[in-house]
Amino acid sequence: MTNTINRKTFLRGVGAAGAAFALGRGPALAQARQQITYMFAGPTVLPAFAPHMIAKHKGYFAAEGIEPRFVTGQGGADVATQVGAGNAEAGGGIGDTTMVVRPNGVPVRAVALLGGGGLHQLFIREDSGITDPRNLRGKTIGVQSFQDTSYYALLGTLARLGLTRNDVTIQAAGPAGIVQLLVNGTAQAMVGVFDFALAAEAGGVRLRRFSLRDYFPSMAQTVIVSDTSIAQRPQLVRAIVRPLLKALGEIIADPTKAIDDYLAAVPENAGRREQMAAAIRAYAQYVYAGQAQLGAFNPDELRTLQEFYLREGIIRRAVPLDELYTNAFVS
Amino acid sequence: MSRTATALGQPAVLVSMLIGVIFVAAWEWLPGMLGVARFIIPPASAVAEEIVFMFARENLLYHTAVTSLSVAIGFVLGAALGAAIGYALAVSPTAEFALSPYILALQIAPKVAFAPLFVMWFGFNLMPKILVATLIVFFPVMVNVLGAVRQIDRDQINLGRAFNATRLELFWKIEVPASMPALFAGLRIAATLAVIGVIVGELVGGSVGLGYLLAFGQGQANTPMVFGVIIMLTLIGLVAYLAVVVAEARVLHYMPKRDFGAR
Amino acid sequence: MAAVRLEFRNVTRRFAPTRRSEGVTAIEGVSIAVRDREVVSLIGPSGCGKSTLLNLSAGLDGPSVGEVFVDGAKVTGPNSHVAFMLQKDLLLPWRTIRENVEFGLEIRKVPATQRREIALGQLKICHLDGFENHYPHQLSGGMRQRAALARTMATDPSVVLMDEPFSALDAQTKLVLQKDMAQTLSRLGKTCLFITHDLAEAVALSDRVLVMSKRPGRIIEEIAIDLPDRDDPIARRSSEKVTPYLRRLTELLDVAHADV
């Protein structure tokens, strides 16, 4: 049974890839669609980019007259820098990205927030018996790196829990190492994305999830464009934002259907259907949902976050809030 | 001969300094004049300011010390290992024949690609970056030593043999000293490579060293910091290189003098 | 009759074929006897196996057939009775001239003070006093070859093997060094096998000249040089009696060339 599905999905994938190839190459079929580059902060096959993939697969970008090419950068700041330098029309960051790069003169703003939850969550091993994050004192917590939003979110969370970074042991271990730390029991907890948690659970560890947002304004992914694009090509910005929000809304409304759409869009992941399905359900429930106005930023959250970053020395200089984002393209 | 050197040296030093001044001036003002944003190419003054800031706030001295220490350890280990194995293979053609395919494979394999693996195996400490540096330093030293011992004049060896020298005497009295110039040529290359090895190891992860600061600066789109780190790394490489040059000048004092940095 | 210092008894040396070269017979059926204090020159076309003879004498190589004796003892490996000097000075660039001259003594474990004394003495004989602390690269080609001569003599060998020692020098330096060498050999009473392709040099320096054929090398002629002044080659060269020897050698070498 599984086999049949896999083969069918695979064949469909091949067909889709062939069609995409034909679309990409055949000028007769693609009637003068504008090619744009959209840069991700991680590998394009991560389920975190489901809205982008579904929007492209279902032709939502095409309907706006654009043809996005997805490429991978070296993290949020790199994406912002490339967008600021004009090497990409748009890119993906997290809530704090513009806050970090803007003081260094990178002229970019966030034009959409893809969800009301936080991308990063706190996961604690069930067998540690810890049911309240306050009891993490003395425990080891893994993060991907010390230069990452997840680490900053952990610092903010600890502060709200009445703990300091000296009350716990924080280990930076990289994407593979963080899963390993949890599985072999070196760490009792981690702050990271669902993808890591699912990998750890696949390794036989049961995890308990805690939303960082109870303690700290951890945010979802954002869409970043340059000041120049906002000023000179607002219709292009709209053409990028609108399809993403449409796909986002669909995932929230019907995650089960979104799983099929996603696997059709990213046939490389067809072999890991279970894991992808779990990831998309988790994203839909905990990250994407919860916004009054789909895609809109809450300036209060940004202010709180910026104040915390300034206090912790993560940023040296705060810029006016309206330089960080605009909600002009989400209505 | 030394007179010619001074006569040539004086204007050369002036030209060299002039080039330096022009370079810094162009760096300071040209990007602005051409409308290049500061986050793409920050002016020299911004980088200088950033370096001062890094000393004050980002513990630049500490990170530089950690990286320098790793470079030094990686360099010494790699050079010792490279020389030891180079000599071992040179005196044992059988060993060389048996091992050469594997050594060649390891030599061709891009050493820096091992960095993430080493970090995974040994964790976020000095070990992975020292290992990358050791591995990357190892080959030029080994290859140079092996090649140099190979190229020793057979008649030179025969002279020693005719005097009834033992194998060990031939090694210490002829092969080792004869390979010194090549060993040092290898060490010069190795000194700069050691910095690359360490920085790649540090870029993979961790929270200390200039590689960390580089990633940190890049992670904040703080281009002046990236430039500042590159300058510090260049200084470390330069110090390592000069240390080799000084050691070489002392060991190879019998060689005809040549100008600094020639080759 | 004086004692025989170096002797080849019916020596043949064949080299087995390798992947890169076919097997060759370098020398065949060579019998030579060099007596005490005698200087014997060996001439012949290039590739006739002269260097093979030298290696066999020094014990660096062994014969395929026959035997080599030095001072009546069969040569089975490098031995302290023989020293050689080549066209290349083979001075070690990291040693001073004195240390180079001491090289052989050092390997023979001669105490440092004694080594130093011998080396300085040899350097004086070779007109290099004052240069003992120089490095080889600081000396001219002629001086370096003198240093090589001093090193060769320092171990006090009973047989000195020379392989074209002066062929890389300019004509004037060559004459001076030939004279110095002749005097040194004569004064120290050394026995010498001297390989050269310079016919005039062979006549000027030797008691006897052996002519070898093309490969496989054989001794095809032995000519005794019946002239005075073996310790003064410049004087000997200016004698008109040299001419018949040169003519004879030239003829022989032409024959040797035409042989195959």
Side-chain angles (χ1 to χ4, degrees):
Chain A
M1 181 66 192
T2 324
N3 248 336
T4 337
I5 287 173
N6 276 350
R7 208 168 72 223
K8 242 160 71 187
T9 327
F10 173 70
L11 289 175
R12 222 175 336 144
V14 171
F21 186 75
L23 277 174
R25 285 302 177 90
L29 288 171
Q31 28 129 19
R33 242 180 261 145
Q34 189 187 348
Q35 286 265 0
I36 67 148
T37 299
Y38 192 108
M39 205 166 188
F40 292 151
T44 56
V45 295
L46 288 183
F49 303 118
H52 309 72
M53 294 304 178
I54 291 175
K56 181 172 182 177
H57 180 68
K58 297 180 89 170
Y60 298 166
F61 287 116
E64 301 279 351
I66 59 171
E67 174 78 29
R69 183 171 62 100
F70 296 125
V71 297
T72 301
Q74 307 285 320
D78 180 45
V79 169
T81 309
Q82 301 297 341
V83 171
N87 296 330
E89 276 78 6
I94 316 180
D96 65 4
T97 305
T98 51
M99 201 175 285
V100 169
V101 303
R102 188 101 195 176
N104 290 320
V106 185
V108 292
R109 269 169 230 245
V111 291
L113 177 64
L114 302 182
L119 184 64
H120 298 106
Q121 315 278 326
L122 171 65
F123 297 95
I124 303 178
R125 280 177 67 120
E126 272 190 9
D127 57 12
S128 70
I130 299 171
T131 51
D132 183 342
R134 240 175 286 274
N135 297 332
L136 279 171
R137 185 185 295 273
K139 303 295 184 205
T140 298
I141 306 171
V143 293
Q144 186 174 343
S145 94
F146 289 129
Q147 310 134 42
D148 189 67
T149 309
S150 59
Y151 174 61
Y152 306 148
L154 174 59
L155 291 184
T157 304
L158 290 174
R160 286 294 301 277
L161 290 168
L163 299 171
T164 72
R165 68 183 95 179
N166 299 320
D167 293 328
V168 294
T169 306
I170 304 176
Q171 281 206 4
I178 192 172
V179 175
Q180 209 183 333
L181 283 183
L182 264 187
V183 171
N184 67 22
T186 309
Q188 288 79 44
M190 73 149 179
V191 172
V193 291
F194 279 107
D195 311 59
F196 298 159
L198 291 166
E201 294 207 314
V205 180
R206 301 291 306 156
L207 299 172
R208 202 169 270 136
R209 186 197 67 88
F210 297 87
S211 174
L212 290 176
R213 285 177 64 79
D214 295 345
Y215 312 98
F216 184 82
S218 174
M219 285 188 224
Q221 293 179 80
T222 59
V223 179
I224 293 169
V225 300
S226 69
D227 287 0
T228 319
S229 292
I230 291 173
Q232 292 170 10
R233 302 197 287 175
Q235 65 285 19
L236 174 70
V237 178
R238 216 173 288 281
I240 294 167
V241 171
R242 208 151 35 197
L244 285 172
L245 294 182
K246 187 173 176 186
L248 187 71
E250 285 179 8
I251 299 174
I252 298 167
D254 189 351
T256 310
K257 183 175 179 308
I259 292 163
D260 285 333
D261 287 342
Y262 177 66
L263 291 176
V266 190
E268 300 95 301
N269 281 334
R272 295 184 294 153
R273 189 186 176 87
E274 293 304 314
Q275 208 178 328
M276 291 302 120
I280 284 171
R281 283 209 176 84
Y283 273 107
Q285 187 181 351
Y286 300 117
V287 184
Y288 297 154
Q291 279 176 309
Q293 159 82 55
L294 202 61
F297 287 89
N298 177 350
D300 292 335
E301 283 185 354
L302 285 170
R303 182 179 301 111
T304 314
L305 193 61
Q306 196 176 35
E307 281 166 3
F308 171 75
Y309 274 27
L310 200 58
R311 202 165 55 238
E312 286 291 315
I314 295 163
I315 57 173
R316 291 179 206 166
R317 197 161 69 76
V319 296
L321 282 187
D322 58 5
E323 285 186 20
L324 299 179
Y325 79 103
T326 169
N327 281 334
F329 298 93
V330 299
S331 47
Chain B
M1 182 182 162
S2 64
R3 252 199 22 244
T4 335
T6 352
L8 276 172
Q10 213 63 335
V13 167
L14 284 177
V15 169
S16 184
M17 281 169 62
L18 190 65
I19 289 173
V21 169
I22 291 172
F23 175 76
V24 173
W27 180 10
E28 178 68 28
W29 289 295
L30 209 55
M33 281 158 60
L34 297 174
V36 177
R38 292 168 69 96
F39 77 95
I40 295 176
I41 302 179
S45 58
V47 173
E49 223 171 276
E50 180 66 32
I51 290 177
V52 172
F53 180 89
M54 282 155 73
F55 265 111
R57 293 279 305 278
E58 303 286 357
N59 241 333
L60 181 59
L61 212 56
Y62 169 71
H63 290 296
T64 307
V66 168
T67 300
S68 306
L69 182 72
S70 308
V71 167
I73 296 175
F75 174 76
V76 169
L77 282 181
L81 211 63
I85 294 187
Y87 284 123
L89 295 182
V91 298
S92 167
T94 320
E96 201 223 334
F97 185 79
L99 293 177
S100 61
Y102 307 104
I103 287 171
L104 185 70
L106 201 58
Q107 186 180 3
I108 290 169
K111 262 71 68 186
V112 295
F114 285 92
L117 288 178
F118 289 160
V119 170
M120 192 168 78
W121 295 340
F122 303 105
F124 288 94
N125 47 46
L126 295 193
M127 180 82 120
K129 47 193 178 180
I130 289 174
L131 272 184
V132 179
T134 303
L135 201 58
I136 207 170
V137 160
F138 173 81
F139 286 98
V141 175
M142 189 207 71
V143 169
N144 273 31
V145 164
L146 181 58
V149 175
R150 281 302 175 55
Q151 278 165 21
I152 295 175
D153 191 343
R154 277 313 299 169
D155 288 327
Q156 193 94 71
I157 298 289
N158 279 341
L159 178 79
R161 286 178 59 205
F163 282 134
N164 250 337
T166 61
R167 186 69 194 83
L168 206 63
E169 281 173 326
L170 291 178
F171 178 68
W172 285 112
K173 289 183 190 292
I174 298 182
E175 289 174 339
V176 169
S179 59
M180 279 295 140
L183 173 66
F184 274 101
L187 290 180
R188 282 175 186 232
I189 302 168
T192 52
L193 288 181
V195 181
I196 296 175
V198 168
I199 207 68
V200 168
E202 288 179 345
L203 276 174
V204 173
S207 55
V208 290
L210 291 173
Y212 160 77
L213 276 191
L214 189 68
F216 181 72
Q218 209 178 11
Q220 302 206 325
N222 187 348
T223 318
M225 186 184 268
V226 173
F227 272 79
V229 171
I230 291 173
I231 289 173
M232 294 310 289
L233 288 171
T234 309
L235 286 178
I236 293 179
L238 203 60
V239 168
Y241 183 85
L242 288 178
V244 173
V245 169
V246 167
E248 180 176 354
R250 298 194 66 149
V251 173
L252 302 183
H253 60 92
Y254 54 84
M255 297 285 277
K257 294 278 171 291
R258 61 159 185 259
D259 284 341
F260 163 72
R263 215 185 256 213
Chain C
M1 197 170 207
V4 172
R5 289 281 182 207
L6 172 67
E7 188 177 7
F8 280 69
R9 282 188 202 155
N10 192 28
V11 171
T12 296
R13 177 70 175 107
R14 286 185 209 96
F15 292 99
T18 63
R19 205 178 304 173
R20 266 175 296 176
S21 65
E22 39 187 309
V24 290
T25 302
I27 55 169
E28 194 168 53
V30 171
S31 292
I32 299 172
V34 185
R35 284 178 291 276
D36 191 36
R37 293 170 184 259
E38 201 180 18
V39 175
V40 174
S41 280
L42 204 59
I43 64 171
S46 47
C48 72
K50 290 174 291 194
S51 299
T52 303
L53 276 179
L54 192 132
N55 283 338
L56 291 169
S57 314
L60 297 172
D61 191 13
S64 308
V65 177
E67 289 161 322
V68 182
F69 293 87
V70 170
D71 277 345
K74 190 174 164 184
V75 174
T76 52
N79 63 83
S80 53
H81 301 282
V82 176
F84 68 77
M85 178 173 170
L86 305 184
Q87 176 184 346
K88 292 173 281 191
D89 55 64
L90 297 181
L91 295 174
L92 300 169
W94 54 89
R95 286 171 170 251
T96 61
I97 295 304
R98 178 177 60 75
E99 288 166 343
N100 265 290
V101 175
E102 287 181 19
F103 183 61
L105 299 168
E106 193 179 305
I107 286 170
R108 302 231 170 118
K109 311 281 187 288
V110 175
T113 44
Q114 202 180 331
R115 249 168 27 210
R116 191 186 177 92
E117 202 178 305
I118 295 172
L120 292 177
Q122 285 297 338
L123 285 171
K124 200 172 169 82
I125 293 172
C126 295
H127 308 297
L128 279 174
D129 30 347
F131 289 97
E132 56 269 14
N133 292 325
H134 283 59
Y135 284 97
H137 76 88
Q138 296 169 305
L139 267 53
S140 69
M143 290 165 92
R144 292 166 62 121
Q145 207 55 322
R146 281 175 197 272
L149 181 61
R151 179 191 57 205
T152 308
M153 296 305 175
T155 52
D156 193 25
S158 47
V159 177
V160 180
L161 305 164
M162 304 228 173
D163 191 356
E164 305 188 11
F166 308 128
S167 59
L169 303 174
D170 65 84
Q172 204 178 338
T173 311
K174 191 173 185 169
L175 287 177
V176 177
L177 257 78
Q178 283 169 350
K179 184 175 162 220
D180 287 353
M181 190 200 75
Q183 282 174 352
T184 306
L185 287 175
S186 173
R187 181 171 348 149
L188 299 175
K190 295 294 175 202
T191 306
C192 179
L193 182 65
F194 191 94
I195 294 171
T196 180
H197 61 252
D198 180 339
L199 305 183
E201 184 174 75
V203 174
L205 291 172
S206 324
D207 298 308
R208 275 190 293 151
V209 176
L210 301 175
V211 183
M212 285 184 82
S213 69
K214 241 181 138 174
R215 197 159 59 208
R218 264 166 298 199
I219 308 290
I220 53 170
E221 184 77 53
E222 178 186 333
I223 298 169
I225 310 293
D226 197 9
L227 294 171
D229 296 327
R230 201 208 72 188
D231 59 347
D232 188 356
I234 293 176
R236 203 188 247 197
R237 271 175 200 271
S238 56
S239 156
E240 57 205 29
K241 289 180 186 159
V242 161
T243 321
Y245 289 106
L246 285 178
R247 195 181 299 130
R248 175 75 183 126
L249 286 172
T250 311
E251 280 169 24
L252 280 167
L253 279 182
D254 280 343
V255 169
H257 272 291
D259 206 27
V260 177

